[in-house]
């Protein structure tokens, strides 16, 4: 994030206004080219003389990311024997929260690809007897678009009762008429992620499913309007729980999260968080209702925080669409 370098070995050091990218000889050419575009960052090659020539020149207290593994921290202590490393939460994550317009453009383009392909994909592939695993496999290939995009995460494909498990892993469970379908997916473009969840049905769903989908859609649309600069994330999540009333017991996760070079990053939009939203953060709004053994619904939009109202990046319809065996579609609930 700080250097544009994504090799398998490398680390970044700042000291007294000097900045260093350290990597090994495999990446000399690649890193040298990158550093031409990053004024003020000096490239240092890690080799057998690194500790003597470079590492021992630094001493005192240095902050480091608290996400380091114990093995990584042990290596840093060996390579910089005079430094006292202080693991510090949020050291880089706080910087990453606020996106540049160039970063937002990449995320927007990644999301637009998903918006474009998802419903045509389902029209082509939804058939009685297809398994969650098979549908997931074909969805991954479609999302990648001949490797023009990566995957933000393994897509979640859940039929019927499996959709009541928020992070369900696709199984051999097969599709049958009357099933609801939950799909949570995203792609990466130049390492920036998208993330969206939509719900569909195959045939005619239960009356209860229709009622709960309409209720959740209304709540999600209401709270989306409140995603503005300086709003308390705790207040957003609590608003959803209040609007759900007795159904709030079936809402089992936080309202959303930041999205960037990781699909889950700061801020966390939760009643347990004291953060406020800031302009140019990219975040999700994804309330859910999960009825064990019956069905689950999660409606997730990806958006950019602005001063007045959010910029919704996920354009794919939130209409509740029913598919039949030959790919015809029928709108059961219209998004207002």
């Amino acid at each position: 994030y700080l250097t544009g370098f994504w090799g398998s070995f490398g680390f970044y050091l700042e000291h007294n206004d000097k900045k260093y990218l350290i990597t090994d000889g495999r990446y000399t050419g690649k890193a040298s080219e990158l550093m031409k575009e990053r004024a003020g960052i000096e490239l240092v090659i890690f080799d057998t003389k690194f500790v003597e020539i470079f590492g021992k020149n630094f001493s005192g207290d240095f902050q480091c990311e608290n996400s380091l593994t114990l093995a990584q921290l042990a290596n840093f202590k060996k390579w910089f024997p005079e430094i006292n490393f202080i693991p510090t939460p949020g050291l880089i994550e706080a910087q990453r929260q606020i996106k540049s317009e160039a970063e937002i453009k990449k995320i927007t383009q990644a999301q637009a690809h998903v918006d474009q392909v998802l419903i045509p994909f389902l029209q082509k592939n939804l058939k009685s007897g297809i398994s969650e695993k098979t549908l997931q496999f074909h969805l991954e290939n479609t999302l990648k678009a001949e490797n023009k995009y990566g995957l933000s995460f393994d897509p979640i494909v859940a039929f019927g009762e499996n959709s009541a498990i928020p992070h369900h892993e696709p199984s051999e469970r097969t599709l049958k008429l009357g099933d609801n379908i939950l799909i949570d997916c995203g792609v990466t473009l130049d390492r920036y992620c998208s993330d969206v969840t939509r719900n569909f049905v195959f045939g005619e769903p239960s009356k209860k499913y229709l009622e709960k989908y309409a209720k959740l859609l209304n709540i999600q649309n209401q709270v989306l309007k409140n995603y503005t600069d300086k709003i308390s994330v705790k207040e957003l999540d609590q608003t959803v729980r209040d609007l759900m009333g007795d159904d709030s017991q079936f809402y089992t996760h936080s309202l959303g999260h930041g999205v960037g070079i990781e699909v889950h990053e700061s801020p966390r939009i939760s009643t347990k968080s004291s953060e406020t939203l800031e302009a140019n953060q990219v975040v999700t709004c994804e309330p859910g209702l999960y009825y064990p053994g019956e069905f689950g619904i999660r409606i997730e939009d990806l958006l950019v925080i602005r001063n007045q109202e959010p910029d919704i990046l996920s354009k794919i319809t939130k209409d509740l669409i029913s598919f039949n065996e030959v790919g015809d579609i029928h709108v059961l609930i219209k998004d207002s």
Side-chain angles (χ1 to χ4, degrees):
Y1 172 77
L2 295 171
T3 67
F5 176 78
W6 295 91
S8 60
F9 177 82
F11 49 97
Y12 174 83
L13 175 70
E14 282 193 18
H15 178 246
N16 291 342
D17 296 327
K18 291 189 176 181
K19 303 174 182 179
Y20 305 93
L21 169 65
I22 298 98
T23 186
D24 61 35
R26 294 172 297 169
Y27 298 107
T28 302
K30 176 182 178 181
S32 296
E33 288 299 314
L34 278 171
M35 292 312 99
K36 291 178 183 178
E37 304 168 7
R38 305 275 174 158
I41 301 179
E42 180 181 337
L43 176 63
V44 177
I45 301 302
F46 183 92
D47 57 20
T48 57
K49 299 179 180 180
F50 176 83
V51 176
E52 285 296 325
I53 294 177
F54 189 79
K56 286 186 175 180
N57 294 330
F58 301 90
S59 62
D61 292 340
F62 276 66
Q63 292 177 302
C64 64
E65 291 183 281
N66 70 337
S67 57
L68 291 175
T69 65
L70 292 174
Q72 288 170 328
L73 183 57
N75 277 331
F76 284 132
K77 289 178 177 179
K78 180 172 61 177
W79 297 332
F80 297 92
E82 305 301 324
I83 285 180
N84 175 39
F85 287 100
I86 304 171
T88 306
L91 193 58
I92 307 301
E93 289 83 353
Q95 298 179 48
R96 285 167 40 188
Q97 285 191 38
I98 308 302
K99 305 298 190 292
S100 68
E101 290 303 321
E103 290 176 299
I104 291 170
K105 183 178 180 180
K106 291 175 182 178
I107 297 170
T108 302
Q109 290 175 342
Q111 183 57 52
H113 171 64
V114 178
D115 292 345
Q116 182 179 11
V117 303
L118 185 55
I119 291 178
F121 165 81
L122 294 174
Q123 284 184 282
K124 179 181 178 182
N125 288 275
L126 287 183
K127 308 288 181 186
S128 291
I130 192 170
S131 70
E132 293 172 339
K133 280 187 174 181
T134 299
L135 193 64
Q136 180 200 44
F137 173 78
H138 292 307
L139 177 58
E140 287 182 355
N141 289 335
T142 297
L143 291 173
K144 289 178 180 177
E146 298 180 345
N147 291 322
K148 294 178 182 177
Y149 300 88
L151 296 176
S152 301
F153 53 94
D154 293 336
I156 296 173
V157 175
F159 301 156
E161 70 283 355
N162 287 342
S163 61
I165 305 168
H167 283 173
H168 172 65
E169 295 184 3
S171 69
E172 297 295 345
R173 204 285 202 183
T174 57
L175 184 66
K176 60 182 184 292
L177 285 172
D179 280 338
N180 67 289
I181 303 160
L182 184 150
I183 294 181
D184 187 347
C185 62
V187 300
T188 62
L189 178 64
D190 294 337
R191 300 185 183 272
Y192 282 85
C193 299
S194 65
D195 189 9
V196 69
T197 305
R198 289 294 185 263
N199 305 265
F200 309 93
V201 294
F202 190 60
E204 292 295 325
S206 67
K207 181 180 178 182
K208 180 178 179 180
Y209 182 87
L210 291 172
E211 290 174 350
K212 299 304 183 183
Y213 185 86
K215 177 176 182 176
L216 189 63
L217 179 61
N218 180 53
I219 291 171
Q220 200 251 7
N221 280 329
Q222 284 189 63
V223 77
L224 268 176
K225 300 173 184 177
N226 297 331
Y227 269 66
T228 55
D229 186 26
K230 307 305 181 186
I231 191 75
S232 160
V233 297
K234 182 182 296 186
E235 179 182 326
L236 285 173
D237 199 350
Q238 190 60 55
T239 296
V240 169
R241 296 176 193 278
D242 292 343
L243 290 169
M244 285 180 174
D246 292 341
D247 274 323
S248 63
Q249 64 183 303
F250 301 108
Y251 171 36
T252 56
H253 54 69
S254 58
L255 180 58
H257 54 85
V259 177
I261 57 174
E262 293 180 288
V263 74
H264 291 96
E265 58 181 43
S266 298
R268 182 185 180 195
I269 303 172
S270 165
T271 52
K272 299 177 181 179
S273 174
S274 60
E275 296 180 89
T276 58
L277 295 181
E278 304 292 338
N280 285 14
Q281 288 175 333
V282 177
V283 297
T284 67
C285 176
E286 49 183 299
L289 290 171
Y290 307 95
Y291 302 92
E294 295 183 76
F295 59 81
I297 307 166
R298 181 167 62 257
I299 304 174
E300 178 185 23
D301 277 318
L302 183 66
L303 54 103
V304 184
I305 302 302
R306 302 296 191 187
N307 291 326
Q308 298 299 321
E309 60 183 35
D311 181 7
I312 310 296
L313 302 184
S314 42
K315 306 296 186 184
I316 187 171
T317 183
K318 291 186 286 190
D319 293 349
L320 182 61
I321 295 174
S322 172
F323 296 84
N324 65 17
E325 289 279 7
V326 294
D328 295 333
I329 63 175
H330 176 60
V331 175
L332 299 179
I333 295 176
K334 189 76 175 172
D335 179 25
S336 59

Coordinates of all heavy atoms in Angstrom, one line a residue, residues 160-198:
G160 N -31.6 -22.2 0.2 CA -32.6 -22.5 1.2 C -32.0 -22.3 2.6 O -31.6 -21.3 3.0
E161 N -32.1 -23.4 3.4 CA -31.7 -23.4 4.8 C -30.3 -23.0 5.0 O -29.9 -22.5 6.0 CB -32.0 -24.7 5.5 CG -31.2 -25.9 5.1 CD -31.5 -26.5 3.7 OE1 -32.5 -26.1 3.1 OE2 -30.8 -27.4 3.3
N162 N -29.4 -23.3 4.0 CA -28.0 -23.0 4.1 C -27.7 -21.5 4.2 O -26.7 -21.0 4.6 CB -27.2 -23.6 3.0 CG -27.0 -25.1 3.2 OD1 -27.2 -25.6 4.3 ND2 -26.7 -25.8 2.1
S163 N -28.7 -20.7 3.6 CA -28.5 -19.2 3.6 C -28.7 -18.6 5.0 O -28.4 -17.4 5.2 CB -29.5 -18.6 2.6 OG -30.8 -18.8 3.0
A164 N -29.1 -19.4 5.9 CA -29.3 -19.0 7.3 C -27.9 -19.0 8.0 O -27.8 -18.6 9.2 CB -30.3 -19.8 8.1
I165 N -26.9 -19.5 7.4 CA -25.5 -19.5 7.9 C -24.7 -18.3 7.2 O -24.4 -18.4 6.1 CB -24.8 -20.8 7.6 CG1 -25.7 -22.0 8.2 CG2 -23.4 -20.8 8.2 CD1 -25.2 -23.3 7.7
P166 N -24.5 -17.2 8.0 CA -23.9 -16.0 7.3 C -22.6 -16.3 6.5 O -22.5 -15.7 5.4 CB -23.6 -15.1 8.5 CG -24.6 -15.5 9.5 CD -24.8 -17.0 9.4
H167 N -21.7 -17.1 6.9 CA -20.5 -17.4 6.2 C -20.5 -18.9 5.7 O -19.5 -19.6 5.8 CB -19.3 -17.1 7.0 CG -19.0 -15.6 7.0 ND1 -18.0 -15.1 7.8 CD2 -19.6 -14.6 6.4 CE1 -18.0 -13.8 7.7 NE2 -18.9 -13.4 6.8
H168 N -21.6 -19.3 5.1 CA -21.7 -20.7 4.7 C -20.7 -21.0 3.6 O -20.4 -20.2 2.7 CB -23.2 -20.8 4.1 CG -23.4 -22.2 3.4 ND1 -23.3 -23.4 4.1 CD2 -23.6 -22.4 2.1 CE1 -23.6 -24.3 3.2 NE2 -23.7 -23.8 2.0
E169 N -20.1 -22.2 3.7 CA -19.3 -22.7 2.6 C -20.1 -23.6 1.7 O -20.7 -24.6 2.2 CB -18.1 -23.5 3.2 CG -17.2 -22.6 4.1 CD -16.0 -23.3 4.6 OE1 -15.8 -24.5 4.3 OE2 -15.2 -22.7 5.3
P170 N -20.1 -23.3 0.4 CA -20.9 -24.1 -0.5 C -20.7 -25.6 -0.4 O -19.6 -26.1 -0.2 CB -20.5 -23.6 -1.9 CG -20.1 -22.2 -1.6 CD -19.4 -22.2 -0.3
S171 N -21.8 -26.3 -0.5 CA -21.8 -27.7 -0.3 C -22.4 -28.5 -1.5 O -22.6 -27.9 -2.6 CB -22.7 -28.0 0.9 OG -24.1 -27.8 0.7
E172 N -22.7 -29.7 -1.3 CA -23.3 -30.5 -2.4 C -24.9 -30.4 -2.4 O -25.5 -31.0 -3.2 CB -23.0 -32.0 -2.3 CG -21.5 -32.3 -2.4 CD -20.9 -32.0 -3.8 OE1 -21.7 -31.9 -4.7 OE2 -19.7 -31.9 -3.9
R173 N -25.4 -29.5 -1.6 CA -26.8 -29.3 -1.5 C -27.3 -28.8 -2.9 O -26.7 -27.9 -3.4 CB -27.1 -28.2 -0.4 CG -28.5 -28.2 0.2 CD -29.6 -27.7 -0.7 NE -30.7 -27.2 0.1 CZ -31.8 -26.7 -0.5 NH1 -31.9 -26.6 -1.8 NH2 -32.8 -26.3 0.3
T174 N -28.3 -29.4 -3.4 CA -28.8 -29.1 -4.8 C -30.0 -28.2 -4.7 O -30.8 -28.1 -3.8 CB -29.1 -30.4 -5.5 OG1 -30.1 -31.1 -4.8 CG2 -27.9 -31.2 -5.7
L175 N -30.2 -27.5 -5.8 CA -31.3 -26.5 -6.0 C -32.6 -27.2 -6.3 O -32.6 -28.1 -7.2 CB -30.9 -25.5 -7.1 CG -31.8 -24.3 -7.3 CD1 -31.9 -23.4 -6.1 CD2 -31.4 -23.5 -8.5
K176 N -33.6 -26.7 -5.7 CA -35.0 -27.2 -6.0 C -36.0 -26.1 -6.0 O -35.7 -25.0 -5.5 CB -35.4 -28.3 -5.0 CG -35.5 -27.9 -3.6 CD -35.9 -29.0 -2.7 CE -36.1 -28.6 -1.2 NZ -34.8 -28.2 -0.6
L177 N -37.1 -26.3 -6.7 CA -38.1 -25.3 -6.8 C -38.6 -24.8 -5.4 O -38.8 -25.6 -4.5 CB -39.3 -25.8 -7.6 CG -39.1 -25.9 -9.1 CD1 -40.3 -26.5 -9.8 CD2 -38.8 -24.5 -9.7
G178 N -38.7 -23.5 -5.3 CA -39.1 -22.9 -4.0 C -37.9 -22.4 -3.2 O -38.1 -21.7 -2.1
D179 N -36.7 -22.8 -3.6 CA -35.5 -22.3 -2.8 C -35.2 -20.9 -3.0 O -35.4 -20.3 -4.1 CB -34.3 -23.1 -3.3 CG -34.2 -24.5 -2.7 OD1 -34.8 -24.7 -1.6 OD2 -33.4 -25.3 -3.3
N180 N -34.8 -20.2 -1.9 CA -34.2 -18.9 -2.0 C -32.7 -19.1 -2.2 O -32.1 -20.2 -1.9 CB -34.4 -18.1 -0.8 CG -33.7 -18.7 0.5 OD1 -34.1 -19.7 1.0 ND2 -32.7 -18.0 0.9
I181 N -32.0 -18.1 -2.8 CA -30.6 -18.2 -3.2 C -29.9 -17.0 -2.7 O -30.4 -15.9 -3.0 CB -30.4 -18.4 -4.7 CG1 -31.2 -19.6 -5.2 CG2 -28.9 -18.4 -5.0 CD1 -31.4 -19.5 -6.7
L182 N -28.9 -17.1 -1.9 CA -28.1 -16.0 -1.4 C -26.7 -16.1 -2.1 O -26.0 -17.1 -2.0 CB -27.9 -16.0 0.1 CG -27.2 -14.8 0.8 CD1 -27.8 -14.5 2.1 CD2 -25.7 -15.0 0.9
I183 N -26.3 -15.0 -2.7 CA -24.9 -15.0 -3.3 C -24.2 -13.7 -2.8 O -24.7 -12.6 -3.0 CB -25.0 -15.0 -4.9 CG1 -25.6 -16.3 -5.3 CG2 -23.6 -14.7 -5.5 CD1 -25.7 -16.4 -6.8
D184 N -23.0 -14.0 -2.3 CA -22.1 -12.9 -1.8 C -20.8 -13.1 -2.5 O -20.2 -14.1 -2.5 CB -21.9 -13.1 -0.3 CG -21.1 -12.0 0.4 OD1 -20.6 -11.1 -0.3 OD2 -21.1 -11.9 1.6
C185 N -20.4 -12.0 -3.3 CA -19.2 -12.2 -4.1 C -18.6 -10.8 -4.4 O -19.2 -9.8 -4.1 CB -19.6 -12.8 -5.5 SG -20.8 -11.9 -6.5
G186 N -17.4 -10.8 -4.9 CA -16.7 -9.6 -5.3 C -15.5 -10.0 -6.1 O -15.0 -11.1 -6.1
V187 N -14.9 -9.0 -6.8 CA -13.7 -9.2 -7.6 C -12.7 -8.1 -7.3 O -13.1 -7.1 -6.7 CB -14.0 -9.2 -9.1 CG1 -14.9 -10.3 -9.5 CG2 -14.5 -7.8 -9.6
T188 N -11.5 -8.3 -7.7 CA -10.4 -7.3 -7.5 C -10.0 -6.8 -8.8 O -9.9 -7.6 -9.8 CB -9.2 -7.9 -6.7 OG1 -8.6 -9.0 -7.5 CG2 -9.6 -8.4 -5.4
L189 N -9.6 -5.5 -8.8 CA -9.0 -4.9 -10.0 C -7.8 -4.1 -9.5 O -8.0 -3.3 -8.6 CB -10.0 -3.9 -10.7 CG -9.5 -3.2 -11.9 CD1 -9.1 -4.1 -13.0 CD2 -10.5 -2.1 -12.4
D190 N -6.6 -4.5 -10.0 CA -5.4 -3.9 -9.5 C -5.3 -4.0 -8.0 O -4.9 -3.0 -7.3 CB -5.3 -2.4 -9.9 CG -5.1 -2.3 -11.4 OD1 -4.7 -3.3 -12.1 OD2 -5.4 -1.2 -12.0
R191 N -5.8 -5.1 -7.4 CA -5.7 -5.5 -6.0 C -6.8 -4.8 -5.2 O -6.9 -5.0 -3.9 CB -4.3 -5.2 -5.4 CG -3.3 -6.0 -6.1 CD -1.9 -5.9 -5.4 NE -0.9 -6.6 -6.2 CZ -0.6 -7.9 -5.9 NH1 -1.3 -8.6 -5.0 NH2 0.3 -8.5 -6.7
Y192 N -7.6 -4.0 -5.7 CA -8.7 -3.3 -5.0 C -10.0 -4.1 -5.1 O -10.4 -4.5 -6.2 CB -8.9 -1.9 -5.4 CG -7.9 -1.0 -4.8 CD1 -6.6 -0.8 -5.4 CD2 -8.1 -0.3 -3.6 CE1 -5.6 0.0 -4.9 CE2 -7.1 0.5 -3.0 CZ -5.9 0.6 -3.7 OH -4.9 1.4 -3.1
C193 N -10.7 -4.3 -4.0 CA -11.8 -5.3 -3.9 C -13.2 -4.6 -4.1 O -13.4 -3.4 -3.8 CB -11.8 -5.9 -2.5 SG -10.3 -6.8 -2.1
S194 N -14.1 -5.4 -4.5 CA -15.5 -5.1 -4.5 C -16.2 -6.1 -3.6 O -15.6 -7.2 -3.3 CB -16.1 -5.0 -5.9 OG -16.1 -6.3 -6.5
D195 N -17.5 -5.9 -3.2 CA -18.2 -6.8 -2.3 C -19.7 -6.5 -2.4 O -20.1 -5.3 -2.2 CB -17.7 -6.6 -0.9 CG -18.2 -7.7 0.1 OD1 -18.8 -8.6 -0.4 OD2 -18.0 -7.5 1.3
V196 N -20.5 -7.5 -2.7 CA -21.9 -7.3 -2.8 C -22.6 -8.6 -2.5 O -22.1 -9.6 -2.7 CB -22.3 -6.7 -4.2 CG1 -22.1 -7.8 -5.3 CG2 -23.8 -6.2 -4.2
T197 N -23.8 -8.5 -1.9 CA -24.7 -9.6 -1.6 C -26.1 -9.4 -2.2 O -26.6 -8.3 -1.9 CB -24.8 -10.0 -0.1 OG1 -23.5 -10.1 0.4 CG2 -25.6 -11.3 0.1
R198 N -26.6 -10.3 -2.9 CA -27.9 -10.3 -3.5 C -28.7 -11.6 -3.2 O -28.1 -12.6 -3.0 CB -27.9 -9.9 -5.0 CG -27.5 -8.5 -5.3 CD -28.5 -7.5 -4.8 NE -28.2 -6.1 -5.1 CZ -27.5 -5.2 -4.3 NH1 -27.1 -5.6 -3.1 NH2 -27.3 -4.0 -4.8

